Coordinates of all heavy atoms in Angstrom, one line a residue:
S1 N -6.2 -6.8 0.5 CA -4.9 -7.5 0.2 C -4.7 -7.7 -1.3 O -3.5 -7.8 -1.7 CB -4.9 -8.9 0.9 OG -6.0 -9.6 0.5
K2 N -5.7 -7.7 -2.1 CA -5.6 -7.8 -3.6 C -4.9 -6.6 -4.2 O -4.5 -6.6 -5.3 CB -7.0 -8.0 -4.2 CG -7.6 -9.3 -3.8 CD -9.0 -9.4 -4.4 CE -9.6 -10.7 -4.0 NZ -11.0 -10.9 -4.6
D3 N -4.8 -5.5 -3.4 CA -4.2 -4.2 -3.9 C -2.7 -4.2 -3.6 O -2.1 -3.1 -3.9 CB -4.9 -3.0 -3.3 CG -6.3 -2.9 -3.7 OD1 -6.6 -3.0 -5.0 OD2 -7.2 -2.8 -2.9
T4 N -2.1 -5.2 -3.1 CA -0.7 -5.2 -2.9 C 0.2 -4.9 -4.1 O 1.0 -4.1 -4.1 CB -0.2 -6.6 -2.2 OG1 -0.9 -6.7 -1.0 CG2 1.3 -6.6 -2.0
P5 N -0.1 -5.6 -5.3 CA 0.7 -5.2 -6.5 C 0.7 -3.8 -6.9 O 1.7 -3.2 -7.2 CB 0.2 -6.2 -7.6 CG -0.4 -7.3 -6.8 CD -1.0 -6.7 -5.5
P6 N -0.5 -3.1 -6.9 CA -0.5 -1.7 -7.3 C 0.3 -0.8 -6.2 O 0.9 0.2 -6.6 CB -1.9 -1.3 -7.3 CG -2.7 -2.5 -7.5 CD -1.9 -3.6 -6.8
V7 N 0.3 -1.2 -5.0 CA 1.0 -0.4 -4.0 C 2.5 -0.6 -4.2 O 3.3 0.4 -4.2 CB 0.6 -0.9 -2.5 CG1 1.6 -0.2 -1.5 CG2 -0.8 -0.5 -2.2
V8 N 2.9 -1.8 -4.5 CA 4.4 -2.1 -4.8 C 4.8 -1.3 -6.1 O 5.9 -0.7 -6.1 CB 4.6 -3.6 -5.0 CG1 6.0 -3.9 -5.5 CG2 4.4 -4.3 -3.7
A9 N 3.9 -1.2 -7.1 CA 4.2 -0.6 -8.3 C 4.4 0.9 -8.2 O 4.9 1.6 -9.1 CB 3.1 -0.9 -9.3
L10 N 4.0 1.5 -7.0 CA 4.2 2.9 -6.9 C 5.7 3.3 -6.8 O 6.1 4.4 -7.0 CB 3.5 3.4 -5.6 CG 2.0 3.5 -5.7 CD1 1.4 3.7 -4.3 CD2 1.6 4.7 -6.6
G11 N 6.5 2.3 -6.5 CA 8.0 2.5 -6.6 C 8.6 2.9 -5.3 O 8.0 3.1 -4.3
P12 N 10.0 3.0 -5.4 CA 10.7 3.2 -4.2 C 10.5 4.6 -3.6 O 10.6 4.8 -2.4 CB 12.2 3.1 -4.6 CG 12.2 3.1 -6.1 CD 10.8 2.7 -6.5
G13 N 10.1 5.6 -4.3 CA 9.8 6.9 -3.8 C 8.6 6.9 -2.9 O 8.4 7.8 -2.1
A14 N 7.7 5.9 -3.0 CA 6.5 5.8 -2.2 C 6.6 4.8 -1.2 O 5.7 4.5 -0.4 CB 5.3 5.5 -3.2
A15 N 7.8 4.1 -1.0 CA 7.9 3.0 -0.1 C 7.8 3.4 1.4 O 7.5 2.5 2.2 CB 9.3 2.3 -0.4
W16 N 7.9 4.7 1.7 CA 7.9 5.1 3.1 C 6.5 4.8 3.7 O 6.4 4.5 4.9 CB 8.3 6.6 3.2 CG 7.4 7.5 2.6 CD1 7.4 7.9 1.3 CD2 6.2 8.2 3.2 NE1 6.4 8.8 1.0 CE2 5.6 9.0 2.2 CE3 5.7 8.2 4.5 CZ2 4.5 9.8 2.5 CZ3 4.6 9.0 4.7 CH2 4.0 9.8 3.7
I17 N 5.4 4.9 2.9 CA 4.1 4.7 3.4 C 3.9 3.2 3.8 O 3.6 2.9 4.9 CB 3.0 5.2 2.5 CG1 2.9 6.8 2.7 CG2 1.6 4.6 2.8 CD1 1.7 7.4 2.1
P18 N 4.1 2.3 2.9 CA 3.9 0.9 3.3 C 4.9 0.4 4.4 O 4.6 -0.4 5.2 CB 4.1 0.1 2.0 CG 4.4 1.0 0.9 CD 4.3 2.4 1.5
R19 N 6.1 1.1 4.4 CA 7.1 0.7 5.4 C 6.6 0.9 6.8 O 6.9 0.2 7.7 CB 8.4 1.5 5.2 CG 9.6 1.0 5.9 CD 10.9 1.7 5.6 NE 11.1 1.8 4.2 CZ 11.4 3.0 3.6 NH1 11.4 4.1 4.2 NH2 11.6 3.0 2.3
T20 N 5.7 1.9 7.0 CA 5.2 2.2 8.3 C 4.3 1.0 8.8 O 4.0 0.9 10.0 CB 4.4 3.5 8.4 OG1 3.3 3.4 7.6 CG2 5.3 4.7 8.0
W21 N 3.8 0.2 7.9 CA 2.9 -0.9 8.2 C 3.7 -2.3 8.1 O 3.1 -3.3 8.3 CB 1.7 -0.9 7.3 CG 0.7 0.1 7.7 CD1 0.6 1.3 7.2 CD2 -0.2 -0.1 8.7 NE1 -0.4 2.0 7.8 CE2 -1.0 1.1 8.8 CE3 -0.6 -1.1 9.6 CZ2 -2.0 1.3 9.7 CZ3 -1.6 -0.9 10.4 CH2 -2.3 0.3 10.5
G22 N 4.9 -2.2 7.8 CA 5.7 -3.5 7.7 C 5.7 -4.0 6.3 O 6.3 -5.1 6.0
G23 N 5.2 -3.3 5.3 CA 5.3 -3.6 3.9 C 3.9 -3.4 3.2 O 2.9 -3.1 3.8
P24 N 4.0 -3.5 1.9 CA 2.8 -3.3 1.1 C 1.6 -4.2 1.4 O 0.4 -3.7 1.4 CB 3.2 -3.5 -0.4 CG 4.7 -3.3 -0.3 CD 5.1 -3.8 1.0
E25 N 1.8 -5.4 1.6 CA 0.7 -6.4 1.9 C 0.0 -6.0 3.2 O -1.2 -6.0 3.3 CB 1.2 -7.8 1.9 CG 0.1 -8.8 2.1 CD 0.5 -10.2 2.0 OE1 1.7 -10.5 1.7 OE2 -0.3 -11.1 2.2
Q26 N 0.8 -5.7 4.2 CA 0.2 -5.3 5.5 C -0.6 -4.0 5.4 O -1.6 -3.9 6.0 CB 1.3 -5.2 6.6 CG 2.0 -6.5 7.0 CD 3.1 -6.8 6.0 OE1 3.3 -6.3 5.0 NE2 3.9 -7.8 6.5
L27 N -0.1 -3.1 4.6 CA -0.8 -1.8 4.4 C -2.1 -2.1 3.7 O -3.2 -1.6 4.2 CB 0.0 -0.8 3.6 CG -0.7 0.5 3.2 CD1 -1.1 1.3 4.4 CD2 0.2 1.3 2.2
A28 N -2.0 -2.8 2.6 CA -3.2 -3.0 1.8 C -4.3 -3.8 2.6 O -5.5 -3.5 2.4 CB -2.9 -3.8 0.5
S29 N -3.9 -4.7 3.4 CA -4.9 -5.5 4.2 C -5.2 -4.9 5.5 O -6.1 -5.5 6.2 CB -4.3 -7.0 4.3 OG -3.1 -7.0 5.1
S30 N -4.7 -3.8 5.9 CA -5.0 -3.1 7.2 C -6.4 -2.6 7.3 O -6.9 -2.5 8.5 CB -4.0 -2.0 7.4 OG -4.3 -0.9 6.6
G31 N -7.0 -2.3 6.2 CA -8.4 -1.7 6.3 C -8.3 -0.2 6.7 O -9.3 0.4 6.8
L32 N -7.1 0.3 6.7 CA -6.9 1.7 7.1 C -6.3 2.6 6.0 O -5.6 3.5 6.3 CB -6.0 1.8 8.4 CG -6.5 1.0 9.6 CD1 -5.5 1.0 10.7 CD2 -7.9 1.6 10.1
C33 N -6.6 2.2 4.8 CA -6.0 2.9 3.6 C -7.1 3.0 2.6 O -7.8 2.1 2.3 CB -4.8 2.1 3.1 SG -3.9 3.0 1.8
R34 N -7.1 4.2 2.0 CA -8.0 4.5 0.9 C -7.1 4.8 -0.4 O -6.0 5.4 -0.2 CB -8.9 5.7 1.2 CG -9.9 5.5 2.2 CD -11.0 4.6 1.6 NE -12.2 4.6 2.4 CZ -13.4 4.6 1.9 NH1 -13.7 4.7 0.6 NH2 -14.5 4.5 2.8
G35 N -7.6 4.5 -1.5 CA -6.9 4.7 -2.7 C -7.7 5.1 -3.9 O -8.9 4.8 -4.0
A36 N -7.1 5.8 -4.8 CA -7.7 6.2 -6.1 C -7.0 5.4 -7.2 O -5.8 5.4 -7.2 CB -7.6 7.7 -6.4
F37 N -7.7 4.7 -8.0 CA -7.2 3.8 -9.0 C -7.7 4.1 -10.3 O -8.8 4.6 -10.5 CB -7.6 2.3 -8.6 CG -6.9 1.8 -7.4 CD1 -7.5 2.1 -6.1 CD2 -5.8 1.1 -7.4 CE1 -7.0 1.6 -5.0 CE2 -5.2 0.6 -6.2 CZ -5.8 0.9 -5.0
H38 N -6.9 3.7 -11.3 CA -7.4 3.8 -12.7 C -6.8 2.6 -13.5 O -5.6 2.4 -13.5 CB -6.9 5.1 -13.4 CG -7.4 5.2 -14.8 ND1 -8.7 5.4 -15.2 CD2 -6.7 5.2 -16.0 CE1 -8.8 5.5 -16.5 NE2 -7.5 5.3 -17.0

């Protein structure tokens, strides 16, 4: 759930992925997402 801000920061072109989960917070806290960060 701490990764919600970076998911939101991906912008509107990437919004389709979190939308499938009901939003960025739900996606980040689902436990079903992997990410590469810098």
Side-chain angles (χ1 to χ4, degrees):
S1 59
K2 294 178 183 179
D3 293 311
T4 300
V7 172
V8 171
L10 286 167
W16 65 274
I17 283 193
R19 193 176 310 125
T20 65
W21 281 95
E25 186 174 355
Q26 292 85 345
L27 171 66
S29 61
S30 71
L32 302 174
C33 188
R34 289 286 191 143
F37 294 83
H38 180 67

